[in-house]
Amino acid sequence: MDLREELKSEIDGKTISYCFSCGMCTGGCPSARLNEKYNPRRILHRAVIEGKIENDIWLCTNCYTCQERCPTKTKVADIISFMRRIYVKEKGIPEFIKPLVTNLQNCGFTAPIGELENKRRERMGLPPMKTNDEIRKIIEKTGGGVK
Amino acid sequence: MKNRYAYFIGCTIPFRASNYDQATKKVAEKLGIELTDLPDAGCCGLYFELINEMTYLSMAARVLSMAEEKKLDLMVLCNGCNGSLYRANKKLKENPELKDKVNEVLAEVGREYKGTIEVKHLIRVLYEDVGIERIREKITNPLTNVKAAAHYGCHLLKPSEEIMFDDPHNPVSLDRLIEVTGAKSVDYYDKQQCCGGYVLAADAKTAYRMTGEKLAHVKAAGADMLITGCPFCNVMYDANQKAAETETGQQYKIPVLHYPQLLALAMGIDAKELGFEQNRVRPDMKLFLKE
Ligand code: SF4
Ligand code: SF4
């Protein structure tokens, strides 16, 4: 599906049409300040004009500063999250997220919580954490996992 | 006063910040809040918000259904879990069709999401449900020597249109919660800035520079410590403070406390029971002693 059509199919994605390119989002964006490769206004602009998504979408911290400040109520951060899901559908899960997903499939946590962690918890008077396979089943059923 | 909650700690806390869990339980006990553990709850689904929406919503609904079974609202300690569970709960309550789809997935693991409970972050529980005045009654060791800087983080407050807690531009809840301990809440530049944790895996350089910026601002304001209400922000500022120093070439030496660690000290709870061995940058414990 064309990216523009795809964005319009979802309630937050639709708000991309409100954007009038003022640049307030980029002005307050911490990632943009620290990394000249990143610019949320350009991400929206590129999607509307060229119908394209590029790798820079992964540099968003999801802090919502842009979305809170946008004068047109464009859901900038939610749109970027939506673009990430579209990216994954087309190109698969990026390498740097795969370990988290693998951990989730194996134990139900994003990090392996084992004896070391539970011993510490015991010393602190806290209950041990239990792994579960329900999350693996949910990931399999919804097709969200590492193939 | 509402005083019973199902208690969800997510992944980061048991992996790297059980001291946050420990201090929260001590504080809850003093305040007469009853917490029901969910030791097999696992992850809230946050990362799947970026991967697959159905996986995300189903994982979140699974956790929500565990609190529903106990007929309790769900208290969370992590901003990430707050954003993920609060928003999934809202979305599913408002979309019966989506709820049905999620329940088809949950049937696979013998669960059902009904939409009968609320999600509340610890900071929100303390500020709204318990209230500053009730907390004040329990302060026996006012921390009058302490100058602390508040870090709210992002998903405690935002997107504000949905979460509707405090003011996303000029929040006061955590500052008030710091002040009730007797400490001074120190203002600093760019207080609402994000910790950068979310881009750590994709671009560590940007993440650590973001972390370092805030630590520099906190130091410049003369604060003795930074106070967090999120384990992930805490890991960025405390455990990763060295990495941020390496990236920026600066030295910060700013201790970072989980908010309930600070509150517990003001309630006269022994520091030995608050897991300070897990705080990487050790605070000067003399600051917390009665004059
Ligand atoms: S602040 Fe809003 S209207 Fe302005 S460029 Fe960004 S998204 Fe567009
Ligand atoms: S949510 Fe992303 S794009 Fe928006 S201000 Fe934060 S880092 Fe920038």
Side-chain angles (χ1 to χ4, degrees):
Chain A
M1 202 193 311
D2 180 73
L3 174 64
R4 286 159 284 208
E5 292 304 312
E6 188 143 16
L7 286 171
K8 269 191 243 155
S9 72
E10 202 239 31
I11 183 157
D12 295 334
K14 271 197 186 93
T15 66
I16 198 167
S17 66
Y18 305 167
C19 171
F20 64 171
S21 267
C22 69
M24 285 262 291
C25 47
T26 302
C29 170
S31 278
R33 194 177 62 246
L34 294 168
N35 184 341
E36 80 272 2
K37 288 203 229 68
Y38 188 72
N39 180 331
R41 188 187 73 113
R42 188 167 65 215
I43 289 175
L44 301 194
H45 201 248
R46 187 200 290 139
V48 172
I49 306 295
E50 302 172 46
K52 265 185 10 200
I53 294 178
E54 285 179 15
N55 285 337
D56 55 359
I57 54 168
W58 296 101
L59 299 174
C60 168
T61 69
N62 201 234
C63 72
Y64 284 94
T65 308
C66 50
Q67 193 157 319
E68 296 289 338
R69 290 188 189 179
C70 171
T72 67
K73 296 207 179 301
T74 304
K75 297 207 169 180
V76 193
D78 288 327
I79 290 171
I80 293 171
S81 294
F82 186 29
M83 286 182 180
R84 288 167 161 177
R85 295 195 293 272
I86 296 171
Y87 176 106
V88 168
K89 210 162 63 183
E90 285 168 5
K91 300 191 179 153
I93 300 173
E95 285 305 320
F96 61 86
I97 302 183
K98 276 188 184 162
L100 290 172
V101 177
T102 308
N103 285 336
L104 282 168
Q105 286 169 314
N106 290 340
C107 68
F109 293 97
T110 51
I113 290 162
E115 214 177 315
L116 185 75
E117 288 75 22
N118 277 333
K119 280 246 164 69
R120 182 193 284 278
R121 293 181 59 76
E122 203 184 317
R123 280 201 303 278
M124 290 179 167
L126 300 168
M129 302 309 286
K130 293 186 206 137
T131 58
N132 72 78
D133 65 355
E134 291 184 14
I135 287 175
R136 177 180 53 77
K137 288 181 188 157
I138 288 175
I139 294 172
E140 274 166 16
K141 174 94 179 164
T142 51
V146 175
K147 312 242 153 60
Chain B
M1 182 184 100
K2 215 180 263 161
N3 63 356
R4 291 180 68 203
Y5 301 86
Y7 180 64
F8 178 72
I9 65 169
C11 307
T12 311
I13 291 172
F15 192 55
R16 302 188 75 175
S18 282
N19 51 352
Y20 188 12
D21 186 1
Q22 191 183 19
T24 301
K25 289 211 161 135
K26 296 288 173 199
V27 162
E29 203 182 308
K30 278 268 183 209
L31 292 169
I33 300 174
E34 206 180 295
L35 300 174
T36 303
D37 286 310
L38 303 171
D40 51 4
C43 172
C44 70
L46 171 75
Y47 284 98
F48 276 99
E49 224 182 311
L50 318 177
I51 299 174
N52 180 314
E53 189 172 41
M54 214 44 208
T55 315
Y56 153 57
L57 290 172
S58 306
M59 279 175 67
R62 170 180 169 273
V63 172
L64 295 166
S65 78
M66 292 175 154
E68 289 177 353
E69 256 174 31
K70 304 201 184 304
K71 299 195 167 46
L72 293 171
D73 283 342
L74 184 67
M75 181 167 113
V76 300
L77 302 191
C78 169
N79 285 8
C81 302
N82 188 58
S84 139
L85 294 171
Y86 190 98
R87 298 182 76 200
N89 198 30
K90 186 168 187 297
K91 193 161 197 170
L92 293 171
K93 281 184 185 181
E94 288 168 0
N95 292 278
E97 273 172 43
L98 206 52
K99 181 176 140 190
D100 289 346
K101 278 197 204 154
V102 158
N103 276 330
E104 272 172 42
V105 178
L106 290 189
E108 194 84 0
V109 294
R111 295 189 184 274
E112 191 192 349
Y113 167 83
K114 299 195 181 73
T116 52
I117 58 125
E118 299 295 331
V119 175
K120 281 205 159 185
H121 190 290
L122 166 70
I123 298 299
R124 189 169 195 167
V125 166
L126 292 174
Y127 193 66
E128 288 186 344
D129 294 1
V130 181
I132 297 291
E133 288 318 309
R134 275 170 188 275
I135 297 174
R136 199 186 309 280
E137 289 166 14
K138 303 290 179 196
I139 303 295
T140 55
N141 177 40
L143 307 173
T144 44
N145 294 326
V146 173
K147 290 185 293 231
H151 171 74
Y152 288 83
C154 304
H155 301 168
L156 169 66
L157 311 167
K158 300 182 279 187
S160 60
E161 206 184 331
E162 292 179 44
I163 295 189
M164 296 205 285
F165 171 59
D166 209 342
D167 176 336
H169 302 290
N170 292 297
V172 296
S173 52
L174 184 54
D175 292 270
R176 295 290 110 82
L177 287 166
I178 288 172
E179 281 160 6
V180 75
T181 69
K184 182 174 166 28
S185 178
V186 183
D187 245 326
Y188 60 97
Y189 180 69
D190 215 2
K191 194 167 170 179
Q192 282 319 106
Q193 172 151 331
C194 166
C195 71
Y198 222 67
V199 288
L200 183 60
D203 179 11
K205 203 177 164 73
T206 300
Y208 288 141
R209 287 171 69 188
M210 217 176 280
T211 306
E213 273 193 341
K214 171 158 293 201
L215 290 167
H217 296 148
V218 166
K219 196 178 165 112
D224 304 312
M225 62 194 70
L226 182 65
I227 304 297
T228 58
C230 171
F232 209 75
C233 300
N234 188 283
V235 165
M236 287 305 284
Y237 293 120
D238 183 38
N240 293 343
Q241 192 170 129
K242 271 255 142 30
E245 289 180 338
T246 307
E247 178 57 44
T248 61
Q250 292 184 43
Q251 276 223 332
Y252 306 116
K253 293 216 166 61
I254 300 287
V256 189
L257 272 66
H258 303 286
Y259 174 70
Q261 287 185 308
L262 187 79
L263 178 56
L265 289 165
M267 289 173 159
I269 296 169
D270 191 339
K272 287 195 199 73
E273 295 180 60
L274 300 172
F276 276 102
E277 68 273 15
Q278 217 175 5
N279 294 61
R280 280 302 172 82
V281 184
R282 296 287 159 87
D284 175 3
M285 287 307 198
K286 289 197 292 295
L287 280 173
F288 306 116
L289 298 177
K290 261 199 188 122
E291 279 173 70

